[in-house]
Amino acid sequence: MNSDATSAPASREERRDALVLAAYNQIAERGFEGLRTREVAAEAGVNIATLHYYFPTKEALIRGVVEHAMRRFRSTLAPHGTPEAQLRNHLRAVRRLLQDEPQLGAVMGELSLRSARDPAIAHIMQDTNEAWHRTLRGLLRRAAAGGHLKPELDSDAVAALVVAALTSMTLPTVSASPRTDQALRQLERWLGI
Amino acid sequence: MNSDATSAPASREERRDALVLAAYNQIAERGFEGLRTREVAAEAGVNIATLHYYFPTKEALIRGVVEHAMRRFRSTLAPHGTPEAQLRNHLRAVRRLLQDEPQLGAVMGELSLRSARDPAIAHIMQDTNEAWHRTLRGLLRRAAAGGHLKPELDSDAVAALVVAALTSMTLPTVSASPRTDQALRQLERWLGI
Amino acid sequence: MNSDATSAPASREERRDALVLAAYNQIAERGFEGLRTREVAAEAGVNIATLHYYFPTKEALIRGVVEHAMRRFRSTLAPHGTPEAQLRNHLRAVRRLLQDEPQLGAVMGELSLRSARDPAIAHIMQDTNEAWHRTLRGLLRRAAAGGHLKPELDSDAVAALVVAALTSMTLPTVSASPRTDQALRQLERWLGI
Amino acid sequence: MNSDATSAPASREERRDALVLAAYNQIAERGFEGLRTREVAAEAGVNIATLHYYFPTKEALIRGVVEHAMRRFRSTLAPHGTPEAQLRNHLRAVRRLLQDEPQLGAVMGELSLRSARDPAIAHIMQDTNEAWHRTLRGLLRRAAAGGHLKPELDSDAVAALVVAALTSMTLPTVSASPRTDQALRQLERWLGI
DNA sequence: AATGAATGAGAGTTCATTCAT
DNA sequence: AATGAATGAACTCTCATTCAT
């Protein structure tokens, strides 16, 4: 619950964001299964009718959450440094992001499952995944060209494997395991970074 | 819809199984979000009250689905042959299972996410994952001991990575990608199998 | 409110009818504007969910009311005796029906207005009106053929005027006027019956 | 939608009238059942809060509509010429008015039904009807006195019948019928005008 | 004089569960 | 063992109205 009597009056954008964030947290905590508009409104400190003033339907609110999660996740995709360093940093950044903000993993997992039933989400997730894959493949190729990576690697296949390994960490079953860090380090060893 | 007027009268066990299977399919198709007991009963060809005769609550029915999914999944964990062959076969068997019975992946994904909220499911999923991990680690060790695997590999870490990679395939985002097979082949290459 | 603790258990058909009757009374009392499913359920002595067990939507319930009102009204259209007597009896029967069961007039008025927005209702009302018109025209012709009516009358036009005059009595503005009976008697005088 | 950016700034009275007219049109189109203040405000090109500045409640707005409709209708009641001509003209004027401005019939019908629940409306409608009746009766008497009408007619009863017949034309069921004009002509024939 | 933002009360509808038979 | 009927609680969404500016 967020109702802070001393907080400054929220602007239009801030209130929208607060609602999206509340929904984001609710989805992380209870899944789409347990997402209740009244709960979201309460957590944002507003009346249920106010929620509908900003988002005409629950679906519209969910689209807001999708955008938020994607923006949040894409922030990890813009590294700098040498390609090898970027690769290593990227693996660790994703891992850290999912650890520091466990909601993101949960929401991404929920969205991934929902994409099987919701073409709009499927499309967005696919786009994001494609961008992610291309970024990784680019890094792998440049690292190989610079002689800092075993040249026999198929950059497409490796990129796909890295995406898969990192994606699996959005699932509690995997991310809760104490061996997940070992798995990532093994990946780094194989990549030689 | 399963109501076959000419079918033999269903035994207690058969009816229970039919209900579990109907629920399993419903979860695969609509997620926990869209699981409706009435729909399950209808698909099993019985009245909603009959469902509650076999499963007092929706939760009880879900526990039945969990058992079913786990049994289904564990069946892939019992390979034979040389350790290297078992390893390779296992990777392919999991891949094939998820392709042939897409419901299993969907349900496993749903269960994985739900385990964050449901300790009972979390416990079962963890047990299954532990068993899976131990099986893989054993194979890796025996393969290494037989000289059929690069000896410098940390079998614990590799097993974790394999589990992660295969688990990621329960998510539509990954399993729908055309590069998933390449990723698996890359894994085989690194393992040297 | 109808909840009679000593009443016999209602059969499927009885309960349906009770709900339709409750809705019919509510529409008469408060108009479509004030029709509330919860109120209807309460008047029929059942839970709101039970109402939806019998009628999936409010619209379905309204269709039930339309049928009921039409059946109720058509019952007046089957007279017997000589054509002149039938005519006279019909005028009086309609008048009496609307006086004894003021709900019917109110509901018919509501339906008439709603037919401007609801093609299904428009169709039903039109059919009923056509049947009514034909019945009256038939009576007028037979009465004229028997020499009991001024032969110069245009039976089509007269029938239309009778329908209009009687229909106007569904409006409270008209039916509440103390001169409505005089108007009907004037009509009889002109018809010579 | 009426928002004309180039129009002169509306005066207090004009804005009030615009809102009443918008409400009048909405009632004609959707009935009291579908009357929404937001829709009215939008059609008048103002904010919903502005509507409440002019009309504190929805009821107040409706009273405004009642006045407007009554004024509109009464305009037909002031004929001139010989009594017979006035009578004939009146019948035709009402018919034409309802054809040219179908909203008026719809609104009058809605008001008539509402008068059963709303004493204020009932009172106004009754007054209007009384005035109408007296006007017609006066015309009938003068026409009879002038020898232009069958003298045996009961002017009170005939006036009531004329009012009833014309009132019925506010109902779509009647006014939509192609025989309404015939009915009116039959009335004229009987009156001998 | 006018508005964007907010809300309380309540609408129709859904759903897991229960009960009498 | 099986069901039709019934329900309490809760859901998303709507609407007339209010309030600060």
Side-chain angles (χ1 to χ4, degrees):
Chain A
M1 306 299 164
N2 217 0
S3 53
D4 184 3
T6 67
S7 66
S11 79
R12 188 176 176 82
E13 219 37 55
E14 284 168 352
R15 187 129 279 181
R16 247 192 85 99
D17 289 352
L19 284 164
V20 165
L21 195 62
Y24 173 82
N25 287 329
Q26 282 289 315
I27 293 174
E29 197 172 330
R30 313 205 201 276
F32 277 113
E33 189 191 351
L35 180 62
R36 298 290 174 264
T37 51
R38 271 200 154 77
E39 207 56 39
V40 170
E43 192 174 321
V46 299
N47 185 282
I48 174 66
T50 303
L51 184 152
H52 276 94
Y53 179 74
Y54 287 95
F55 297 95
T57 64
K58 192 182 181 181
E59 273 311 308
L61 176 62
I62 290 175
R63 281 200 296 278
V65 171
V66 173
E67 278 168 38
H68 175 76
M70 289 305 155
R71 211 169 21 244
R72 204 81 199 71
F73 181 72
R74 280 193 174 117
S75 70
T76 327
L77 295 185
H80 40 76
T82 67
E84 318 80 87
Q86 284 187 32
L87 267 175
R88 198 176 48 240
N89 287 338
H90 179 69
L91 295 198
R92 294 176 182 182
V94 170
R95 175 66 170 152
R96 202 175 326 112
L97 180 61
L98 292 178
Q99 274 178 331
D100 293 353
E101 189 177 330
Q103 296 103 315
L104 185 55
V107 171
M108 295 291 288
E110 292 281 346
L111 290 178
S112 186
L113 282 173
R114 209 169 204 245
S115 71
R117 285 160 247 139
D118 184 332
I121 292 185
H123 189 250
I124 291 173
M125 299 285 292
Q126 201 182 331
D127 277 3
T128 302
N129 258 38
E130 274 301 311
W132 191 11
H133 181 91
R134 278 196 307 271
T135 302
L136 282 172
R137 193 182 50 192
L139 287 175
L140 288 164
R141 282 182 182 161
R142 269 175 284 145
H148 302 283
L149 208 66
K150 302 180 180 155
E152 77 276 14
L153 289 176
D154 172 351
S155 60
D156 230 20
V158 171
L161 184 58
V162 171
V163 166
L166 291 176
T167 299
S168 76
M169 287 160 44
T170 62
L171 292 175
T173 329
V174 172
S175 78
S177 157
R179 280 180 288 259
T180 302
D181 283 318
Q182 294 182 55
L184 279 189
R185 248 172 280 127
Q186 176 61 45
L187 202 52
E188 294 181 4
R189 230 172 291 139
W190 264 332
L191 291 169
I193 58 177
Chain B
M1 307 303 159
N2 221 356
S3 53
D4 184 2
T6 67
S7 66
S11 80
R12 213 182 156 73
E13 253 345 280
E14 286 169 348
R15 189 134 276 184
R16 252 190 80 99
D17 288 352
L19 284 165
V20 165
L21 194 62
Y24 172 83
N25 286 330
Q26 282 289 314
I27 293 173
E29 198 172 330
R30 313 206 200 274
F32 277 112
E33 192 190 350
L35 178 62
R36 299 289 175 266
T37 52
R38 272 203 147 76
E39 208 56 41
V40 170
E43 193 175 319
V46 300
N47 185 279
I48 174 65
T50 303
L51 183 150
H52 275 90
Y53 176 76
Y54 286 95
F55 298 93
T57 66
K58 192 181 183 182
E59 273 312 309
L61 175 63
I62 291 175
R63 280 201 296 279
V65 172
V66 173
E67 280 168 36
H68 175 75
M70 290 307 154
R71 211 170 20 245
R72 204 82 198 72
F73 182 70
R74 282 197 175 112
S75 70
T76 329
L77 296 185
H80 39 75
T82 69
E84 320 73 273
Q86 285 187 30
L87 266 177
R88 197 176 49 240
N89 288 339
H90 179 69
L91 294 198
R92 296 178 181 182
V94 170
R95 174 69 170 149
R96 203 175 324 114
L97 180 61
L98 292 178
Q99 275 178 330
D100 292 353
E101 188 178 331
Q103 295 105 317
L104 186 55
V107 171
M108 295 291 287
E110 292 281 346
L111 290 177
S112 185
L113 280 172
R114 207 163 207 251
S115 71
R117 285 162 248 140
D118 184 332
I121 292 185
H123 189 251
I124 291 174
M125 298 286 290
Q126 203 181 331
D127 277 2
T128 302
N129 257 37
E130 274 301 312
W132 190 10
H133 182 90
R134 276 196 308 272
T135 303
L136 281 173
R137 193 181 51 191
L139 287 175
L140 287 164
R141 282 180 182 162
R142 269 176 283 146
H148 301 283
L149 207 65
K150 300 176 182 161
E152 78 276 15
L153 289 176
D154 172 351
S155 59
D156 230 20
V158 172
L161 185 57
V162 172
V163 166
L166 291 176
T167 300
S168 75
M169 287 160 44
T170 62
L171 291 176
T173 326
V174 172
S175 77
S177 159
R179 282 181 286 260
T180 301
D181 282 318
Q182 295 182 56
L184 278 188
R185 251 173 276 126
Q186 177 60 44
L187 201 51
E188 293 181 2
R189 230 172 291 138
W190 264 334
L191 290 169
I193 57 177
Chain C
M1 305 302 163
N2 218 1
S3 52
D4 183 4
T6 67
S7 66
S11 81
R12 190 175 176 82
E13 218 38 55
E14 284 168 352
R15 187 130 279 180
R16 247 191 84 99
D17 289 352
L19 284 164
V20 165
L21 195 62
Y24 173 82
N25 287 329
Q26 282 288 315
I27 293 173
E29 197 172 330
R30 313 206 201 277
F32 277 113
E33 189 191 351
L35 179 61
R36 298 292 174 264
T37 52
R38 275 194 158 77
E39 206 58 39
V40 170
E43 191 173 321
V46 300
N47 186 281
I48 173 66
T50 302
L51 185 152
H52 276 93
Y53 179 75
Y54 287 94
F55 298 94
T57 65
K58 191 183 183 181
E59 273 310 310
L61 176 62
I62 290 176
R63 282 199 297 278
V65 172
V66 173
E67 277 168 40
H68 175 76
M70 290 303 155
R71 211 171 20 246
R72 204 83 199 69
F73 181 71
R74 280 192 175 119
S75 68
T76 328
L77 296 184
H80 39 77
T82 68
E84 322 72 273
Q86 285 187 31
L87 268 174
R88 197 176 49 240
N89 288 339
H90 179 69
L91 295 199
R92 293 175 182 183
V94 171
R95 174 66 172 152
R96 202 174 326 112
L97 180 62
L98 292 179
Q99 273 178 331
D100 293 353
E101 189 177 329
Q103 296 103 317
L104 184 56
V107 171
M108 294 292 286
E110 292 281 345
L111 290 178
S112 185
L113 281 174
R114 210 169 203 246
S115 72
R117 286 160 245 138
D118 183 333
I121 292 185
H123 190 249
I124 291 173
M125 298 286 292
Q126 202 181 331
D127 277 3
T128 302
N129 258 38
E130 273 301 312
W132 191 11
H133 181 92
R134 277 198 306 272
T135 302
L136 282 173
R137 193 181 51 193
L139 287 176
L140 288 165
R141 282 180 182 163
R142 269 176 283 146
H148 302 282
L149 207 66
K150 302 179 181 155
E152 78 276 15
L153 289 176
D154 173 351
S155 60
D156 229 19
V158 172
L161 184 58
V162 171
V163 166
L166 291 176
T167 299
S168 75
M169 287 161 44
T170 63
L171 292 175
T173 328
V174 172
S175 79
S177 157
R179 281 181 286 260
T180 303
D181 282 318
Q182 295 181 53
L184 280 189
R185 250 173 279 127
Q186 175 62 44
L187 202 51
E188 293 181 4
R189 232 171 291 139
W190 264 333
L191 291 169
I193 58 177
Chain D
M1 308 300 163
N2 220 357
S3 53
D4 184 2
T6 67
S7 66
S11 79
R12 215 183 153 72
E13 250 349 276
E14 285 169 349
R15 189 134 278 183
R16 252 190 81 98
D17 289 352
L19 284 165
V20 165
L21 194 62
Y24 172 82
N25 286 328
Q26 282 289 314
I27 292 173
E29 199 172 329
R30 313 206 201 275
F32 277 113
E33 191 190 351
L35 178 63
R36 299 289 175 266
T37 52
R38 271 204 149 74
E39 209 54 41
V40 170
E43 192 175 320
V46 300
N47 185 281
I48 173 65
T50 302
L51 183 150
H52 274 90
Y53 176 77
Y54 287 95
F55 298 94
T57 65
K58 192 182 183 181
E59 275 310 309
L61 176 63
I62 290 175
R63 280 200 297 278
V65 172
V66 173
E67 280 168 37
H68 174 76
M70 289 307 153
R71 212 170 21 244
R72 204 83 197 72
F73 182 71
R74 283 196 174 112
S75 70
T76 327
L77 297 185
H80 37 75
T82 69
E84 321 72 275
Q86 284 186 32
L87 266 176
R88 197 176 50 240
N89 287 339
H90 179 68
L91 294 199
R92 295 178 180 180
V94 170
R95 174 68 171 150
R96 201 175 325 112
L97 180 61
L98 292 179
Q99 274 178 331
D100 292 354
E101 188 177 330
Q103 296 105 316
L104 185 56
V107 171
M108 294 292 286
E110 292 281 346
L111 290 177
S112 184
L113 280 172
R114 207 164 207 252
S115 71
R117 286 162 247 140
D118 185 331
I121 292 184
H123 190 250
I124 292 173
M125 298 286 289
Q126 203 181 329
D127 278 2
T128 302
N129 258 38
E130 273 302 312
W132 192 10
H133 182 89
R134 276 197 308 272
T135 303
L136 282 173
R137 194 181 50 191
L139 287 176
L140 287 164
R141 282 180 182 164
R142 270 176 283 148
H148 301 284
L149 208 64
K150 301 176 181 159
E152 78 277 15
L153 288 176
D154 173 351
S155 59
D156 230 19
V158 172
L161 183 59
V162 172
V163 166
L166 290 176
T167 300
S168 76
M169 288 162 43
T170 62
L171 292 176
T173 324
V174 172
S175 77
S177 159
R179 281 182 286 259
T180 302
D181 282 319
Q182 294 182 56
L184 280 189
R185 249 173 279 127
Q186 176 61 45
L187 202 52
E188 294 181 3
R189 229 172 293 139
W190 264 333
L191 289 169
I193 59 176

